[in-house]
Amino acid sequence: MITHLRIDNRLIHGQVAVGWLKYINAKAIIVCNDKVANDPIQKMALPLAARGSNVLVFTIAEALKYEKEHQDENIFIIAKFPQDALDIMKTGVKIKEINVGNAAPIAGTKYVMVTKSIAATKEDAQVYQKIAEMNGGKLTSQIMPHNETSDFMAALRKSKLL
């Protein structure tokens, strides 16, 4: 089972490498994005950002295969984009917790700052809505494990993206 699925386009940074990995008690951080997994430079650089933590960089298919083969582990996946998370969810794999972490603005897009650390476009908001629907209507945001969770869908509505 995927213990924690975090949507975070910054992928690996201190919050993830130090805070979330220990909180989840996972053996590895699994970065999940097809383009990143096929980029040799990113595959080499991402583990360097993890401060000694084990990092696996997988396509969505590889991550799902890993999950099937390691069902007894706490699995921590970072999806680069909300669409990556939705693609994982559409397979029916069990996910205990889904969290929107950070989403840096992407140049050239019509983004809105939904929170101080999460930018989203109307298209992103539609994907987040599908994720929430598949997750019992719920989608939260939480920067660090010790921070309070917030209702991310309410933030999207407040920002007028939904």
Side-chain angles (χ1 to χ4, degrees):
M1 177 197 304
I2 298 171
T3 305
H4 193 92
L5 173 60
R6 180 179 174 91
I7 303 166
D8 188 334
N9 72 359
R10 295 182 344 173
L11 300 175
I12 297 177
H13 47 84
Q15 293 170 345
V16 169
V18 175
W20 284 104
L21 186 63
K22 289 179 184 172
Y23 174 76
I24 295 162
N25 193 28
K27 292 181 180 181
I29 300 167
I30 299 174
V31 172
C32 188
N33 173 271
D34 291 351
K35 188 174 180 181
V36 171
N38 288 303
D39 181 335
I41 293 171
Q42 287 194 63
K43 281 185 90 162
M44 179 188 67
L46 283 167
L48 299 175
R51 303 179 183 189
S53 299
N54 187 24
V55 174
L56 305 170
V57 182
F58 288 156
T59 64
I60 292 169
E62 290 167 336
L64 293 167
K65 182 177 184 236
Y66 182 92
E67 187 275 337
K68 272 187 186 167
E69 295 170 352
H70 298 88
Q71 291 195 358
D72 59 330
E73 287 182 21
N74 288 336
I75 296 176
F76 176 29
I77 292 182
I78 300 173
K80 184 167 183 168
F81 299 116
Q83 186 64 53
D84 297 326
L86 182 60
D87 290 346
I88 291 167
M89 293 177 74
K90 284 180 177 179
T91 68
V93 68
K94 290 189 180 202
I95 302 170
K96 184 176 179 184
E97 197 171 51
I98 303 168
N99 173 37
V100 181
N102 297 290
I106 298 173
T109 64
K110 292 183 180 182
Y111 66 86
V112 172
M113 292 306 297
V114 178
T115 71
K116 66 180 183 175
S117 64
I118 302 172
T121 64
K122 283 219 176 258
E123 295 79 13
D124 293 332
Q126 292 170 352
V127 175
Y128 285 127
Q129 186 167 13
K130 290 175 186 171
I131 290 169
E133 288 168 3
M134 293 180 74
N135 193 41
K138 177 178 141 184
L139 185 59
T140 60
S141 177
Q142 185 177 14
I143 299 298
M144 291 288 290
H146 64 272
N147 295 124
E148 206 170 302
T149 60
S150 63
D151 180 346
F152 188 66
M153 297 311 294
L156 283 173
R157 287 189 291 277
K158 185 176 178 182
S159 70
K160 308 241 186 292
L161 287 174
L162 289 178

